[in-house]
Amino acid sequence: MTKTFALPTSSRQQVLDITDEVAEIVGDNDVSSALCTVSVPHCTCAVYINEHEEGLVHDVMALVEGIVAGEDWHHDRIDQNAGAHLRATLLGNSVQIPVEGGNLVLGTWQRIQLIELDGPRHRRVNVTLIGG
Ligand code: ZN
């Protein structure tokens, strides 16, 4: 089963905590023991799991910004967003979380986050549950 929710972003680069939206979908689907995959059907945003603390969010964005800076990328000749594609490639477009008793099994500080790399855009997030 895959359910999708929409997520508008408002900045060129931005980190959004999507844990509550994912947990709500998982909770609505009466699964006891399952695997939840959260994925984005896009080429210039990514998802990751880590603490959603303001300072760390800034650090993540600074790190990601610096990864592919200062190069003459071929894709920039088409639409000037090679950096966003490359950052998304390195970060990945999905994460997996176990589900037990209808709840996401995450560590105390772990949050599921979408990182926008070429916004603002209208993004979609897929939540796929495997098992029951
Ligand atoms: Zn592009």
Side-chain angles (χ1 to χ4, degrees):
M1 180 285 303
T2 296
K3 294 226 169 150
T4 302
F5 64 90
L7 191 72
T9 62
S10 57
S11 303
R12 172 108 178 134
Q13 191 165 293
Q14 181 180 17
V15 172
L16 295 165
D17 185 339
I18 58 172
T19 311
D20 291 344
E21 288 89 340
V22 175
E24 188 178 331
I25 289 171
V26 170
D28 286 346
N29 280 277
D30 195 29
V31 288
S32 55
S33 185
L35 187 62
C36 175
T37 296
V38 179
S39 62
V40 286
H42 305 291
C43 295
T44 55
C45 69
V47 286
Y48 69 93
I49 294 175
N50 213 301
E51 188 173 344
H52 190 75
E53 182 274 324
E54 188 180 348
L56 183 60
V57 166
H58 282 282
D59 292 341
V60 167
M61 289 201 289
L63 172 69
V64 167
E65 188 70 32
I67 289 172
V68 297
E71 297 287 335
D72 179 22
W73 303 110
H74 291 265
H75 185 70
D76 282 336
R77 294 167 199 160
I78 299 170
D79 67 359
Q80 286 294 317
N81 68 351
H85 286 274
L86 294 169
R87 292 177 187 108
T89 300
L90 291 172
L91 288 165
N93 81 324
S94 69
V95 292
Q96 291 192 314
I97 308 106
V99 175
E100 289 296 338
N103 296 308
L104 294 168
V105 181
L106 289 167
T108 304
W109 301 108
Q110 285 187 312
R111 304 294 289 180
I112 307 161
Q113 293 164 77
L114 180 146
I115 182 165
E116 174 60 73
L117 301 163
D118 194 32
R121 289 176 186 260
H122 289 283
R123 298 303 193 179
R124 284 173 293 132
V125 179
N126 296 323
V127 178
T128 303
L129 289 167
I130 300 165

